[in-house]
Structure formats: structure tokens, C-alpha cells
Amino acid sequence: MTEESGKMDFKLSRQHFGPLWKYVCQEEITNVDWDSGQLWVKYANRTRKRVQDPEITEEFIHRFSLIVANHESKSFHRLNYILSAETEQLRITFTHEAFSVSGRSMSIRKSLPRLRFTAREAVECGYCEEKVMHLLANCVRSGFNFVFCGEPGQGKTEAAKFFSSFIRSHEKVITVEDLREWHYHAIHPQKDCIEFKVSSPEAYEKAVAVSLRMNPKWIMIAETRSREVRYLLESWSNGVNCMTTLHVDDARKIPDRILNMLENRQDADRLVNQVYADVGLGILLQEQETEADRTVHRIRQVCLYYRENEENGCILLVEDGRLRENRIPEFMKQRIRECTGESDIFFHPKVQQMLEEQR
């Protein structure tokens, strides 16, 4: 992020950001937080450190919050105690001291229009095994639906952004999000894509419904939360592929989480069957501490959902980060081979090219 880009996407200059600018403009920094009178920064390698910066004080945070409030034409006081602003690359949130009794707080989260890691980096840092990388890329090519799950801050969106890069360029993609994080068109400018930005749960629901009328091959929903889940189910039943994220701590819980979000549970048996038939893959992301006192994201679980012979089931293909190759069912292998034309389900040409180019 440069000074010029800061002016363009936020209409605030380097002078407005003041001493915060040196953190905001560093690409390796993903989060800048002011909590209880302390400045903390988080890096792309997942380390988080407290920074002693005499220029950033309570007084500066107060002034900066007013600058942001003026820019957004919003009031910020003890009755309206949460202030949010968004740019192409930044999401800024303040809480007033009337709400956060430890003092005025600030959170700046950065989402850059690029992939955070390469295939080689993912394999080398233990994000996933090389065979898992090939397998999941082939699942994208074969039209499996993907649900990335995990607790907040576990890298669900970044995982979805990475694996969406294996969507073929002629396959139309529609992204639906309330905060700009996918950056699909910026990352893949030659691909067919429409980007929807919504501002309310009702608009979210409407955007998903409208997307289904625009003949997409893929719908990418930033986060499935509530009522829009029925349109998600509709897209699956209509043959539209989907990538989405979900807050759940175990991939095997995804069907129950989806069913619990439905307002109407009439014909529950049919809905359960549809979820198992259509979900596809659930992928659990989790942080893990390393011996070097760092935290890294990794794919801990990959769960395959299926409905076969009038029975629902799920299989943990990846358990605790390790591929259980002997659990891959024959129907999954056959689907991948038919869709990709490759006899080896653990070979994807683009993944192989990426790995060889990065060596």
C-alpha cells in the first residue's frame, strides 16, 4: 500500500494517518490495534507484538477517531459508541470509552488484493501436505462445493482466496460480501467475475438470490450467517458451485450448523439429505504454534460429505493435518478423474507448475 493508494481508496492522506502510516503501509503487517493504551501489530507470519511508539498516544487515537468519523459523516460518542469505516484494503473500527471501559480502542485490519501465500510456502510451512494441495485443487476443478470453517481469525477467507485461484477462467464467479476481502477481480483480472457488496442482512439475502439469476458457475459468499443459507442450499440444488466460510470448530459439525440457521425446518429429513448430498467439502482451518514461537495456519481437517444408497455420511480425509489416503472413496476418485481427465487424483498441472516455479 503506497501513500498514493491511501489517498485514492480512503481519501485520507499520509498526514491524516500520522504515525500510524508506517504500520499501515507495510504489507507484512495485517492488523494494527490500540487496546488499553497499548499498540499491538500483527504480521502475516502470525506473530503479534506490542510496539512502543511515543508518537501514538491516547490523545492521537482520539484525534484520529474524529477524523474517521468526519470522513464517514458519522457521530461517535457515548450513545453511538461504535465507529466503523471501510476502504478497498482497510477495515477500521473504534469503540468509545463509554463502551470499552479500558479506554478508547482501535482496530485496523488489512486485506490486500493478493494471495497471502504461494503453493510452495503452504507446503513448506506445514499449511497442508503436497498431496492435499493437489487433491483440493482437483476438487475445485471437479466442481465440489467448499465450506471453510474455523474460529475467527483462523485464515478462512485467505484459504478460500487461494483455492479459488484454481477456478477456470471461463467459469463465471459472483462474490457476495459486506466487507471487501475476496478481491477476486483484482487478483484475477482476466477471469469472468461480478462483485456484489452488501450493507445489511436483508441485502445479503437479496444479493445471493439475485446471483442465482445471473448464470454463475460459482458463488463466493464471504460468510454464511443466517437467512441467506436457504439461497445457498438453492444454489447447490441448481448446480451452482459455492465457496463460503462458516464459524464452527469442527468440520463434521457443518451440516448441523447449516440446518440450525434455517428459519423453517419443515420437511427436516429432506433438508438433511440435501445438505449431505450437496455440501461437498468442509475444511477446518486452525492456528498452530511452532517451536520458533510463531503461529501458523494449517488445514487441520478436510471432511467429505455424501449421500449414497439413501444414506448420509461424512469421511475425514484429512485428520489432524494428515491425509488419510485409504479413506478416499472410489466415487470421489471417479468423479475427479472424469472431470479432470487425470488418472492421478494427486496431480494438478497448475499446482505442479506453481511448485516447480517456486523451487
Side-chain angles (χ1 to χ4, degrees):
M1 185 175 183
T2 64
E3 178 179 356
E4 186 61 30
S5 68
K7 289 179 181 178
M8 290 175 63
D9 71 9
F10 197 55
K11 297 183 176 63
L12 289 177
S13 68
R14 177 175 180 172
Q15 285 69 35
H16 287 116
F17 281 98
L20 283 172
W21 185 259
K22 55 181 170 288
Y23 307 105
V24 171
C25 70
Q26 291 185 47
E27 287 199 358
E28 64 270 23
I29 291 179
T30 62
N31 297 73
V32 182
D33 299 325
W34 177 264
D35 305 323
S36 302
Q38 299 174 356
L39 181 66
W40 292 82
V41 296
K42 189 174 184 179
Y43 296 86
N45 65 10
R46 310 309 299 168
T47 58
R48 190 168 186 264
K49 296 180 180 179
R50 182 184 175 185
V51 177
Q52 301 285 355
D53 190 328
E55 293 184 286
I56 300 180
T57 62
E58 291 277 8
E59 183 181 356
F60 169 77
I61 296 298
H62 277 249
R63 289 199 309 270
F64 186 57
S65 66
L66 295 178
I67 290 172
V68 175
N70 288 335
H71 173 264
E72 293 293 300
S73 300
K74 295 180 180 177
S75 57
F76 183 52
H77 46 66
R78 63 177 53 253
L79 296 180
N80 190 27
Y81 46 77
I82 297 177
L83 172 65
S84 298
E86 181 191 357
T87 77
E88 288 290 323
Q89 299 180 13
L90 303 177
R91 183 170 69 189
I92 305 175
T93 305
F94 290 95
T95 59
H96 196 275
E97 53 272 19
F99 178 66
S100 53
V101 294
S102 55
R104 190 165 299 193
S105 65
M106 177 197 71
S107 174
I108 300 178
R109 179 178 175 180
K110 292 165 59 180
S111 177
L112 300 179
R114 64 175 178 81
L115 300 179
R116 280 287 184 187
F117 53 86
T118 66
R120 171 54 54 184
E121 289 170 344
V123 172
E124 289 181 346
C125 76
Y127 184 83
C128 69
E129 298 174 358
E130 189 168 326
K131 279 190 172 182
V132 173
M133 179 78 67
H134 281 278
L135 178 63
L136 293 180
N138 274 324
C139 286
V140 175
R141 196 173 174 187
S142 303
F144 282 79
N145 296 314
F146 282 68
V147 179
F148 296 90
C149 64
E151 299 295 335
Q154 300 300 305
K156 299 184 292 296
T157 301
E158 291 302 324
K161 285 167 64 175
F162 176 79
F163 286 105
S164 70
S165 65
F166 298 108
I167 295 175
R168 303 179 196 192
S169 59
H170 67 274
E171 296 180 339
K172 184 175 183 177
V173 175
I174 296 180
T175 66
V176 181
E177 55 188 335
D178 55 353
L179 299 167
R180 295 291 300 277
E181 292 185 307
W182 290 112
H183 301 296
Y184 189 85
H185 180 68
I187 297 172
H188 309 290
Q190 303 305 316
K191 292 188 177 184
D192 187 1
C193 174
I194 300 174
E195 297 176 315
F196 290 155
K197 184 178 181 299
V198 298
S199 58
S200 67
E202 294 76 15
Y204 220 108
E205 183 180 6
K206 184 175 181 180
V208 176
V210 170
S211 297
L212 295 177
R213 304 173 194 163
M214 303 189 71
N215 197 31
K217 180 63 176 176
W218 289 85
I219 295 179
M220 300 177 64
I221 303 175
E223 183 180 340
T224 301
R225 295 167 177 162
S226 55
R227 297 184 306 180
E228 69 273 6
V229 73
R230 68 187 178 98
Y231 291 103
L232 184 62
L233 294 176
E234 183 181 338
S235 70
W236 289 341
S237 65
N238 288 337
V240 178
N241 302 131
C242 177
M243 289 189 183
T244 188
T245 65
L246 197 66
H247 286 172
V248 66
D249 61 1
D250 191 303
R252 290 165 291 189
K253 297 180 182 179
I254 288 175
D256 287 341
R257 179 77 176 96
I258 290 174
L259 291 168
N260 289 335
M261 286 190 290
L262 289 169
E263 292 181 314
N264 189 342
R265 293 291 297 274
Q266 291 181 357
D267 198 7
D269 290 342
R270 181 187 63 80
L271 290 172
V272 170
N273 294 341
Q274 182 184 352
V275 168
Y276 275 91
D278 295 336
V279 167
L281 295 174
I283 301 173
L284 177 69
L285 283 300
Q286 189 178 65
E287 280 189 347
Q288 179 182 17
E289 292 188 5
T290 67
E291 294 180 357
D293 197 27
R294 291 173 52 192
T295 57
V296 296
H297 288 149
R298 68 167 182 162
I299 294 176
R300 182 178 179 184
Q301 295 176 341
V302 175
C303 190
L304 171 70
Y305 306 93
Y306 65 92
R307 178 167 175 77
E308 191 175 42
N309 299 324
E310 298 186 354
E311 291 188 359
N312 301 323
C314 65
I315 304 171
L316 271 182
L317 305 179
V318 173
E319 186 174 12
D320 199 24
R322 297 182 60 187
L323 175 66
R324 310 298 182 178
E325 192 171 336
N326 63 321
R327 297 179 183 175
I328 301 176
E330 189 59 37
F331 68 80
M332 182 181 187
K333 296 177 183 178
Q334 182 178 349
R335 176 175 171 178
I336 292 174
R337 288 167 180 155
E338 289 177 353
C339 292
T340 64
E342 301 286 350
S343 58
D344 185 358
I345 66 170
F346 299 116
F347 174 80
H348 187 286
K350 183 176 179 180
V351 170
Q352 191 62 36
Q353 180 184 4
M354 293 166 70
L355 293 173
E356 290 176 355
E357 287 177 349
Q358 294 157 16
R359 283 193 173 99

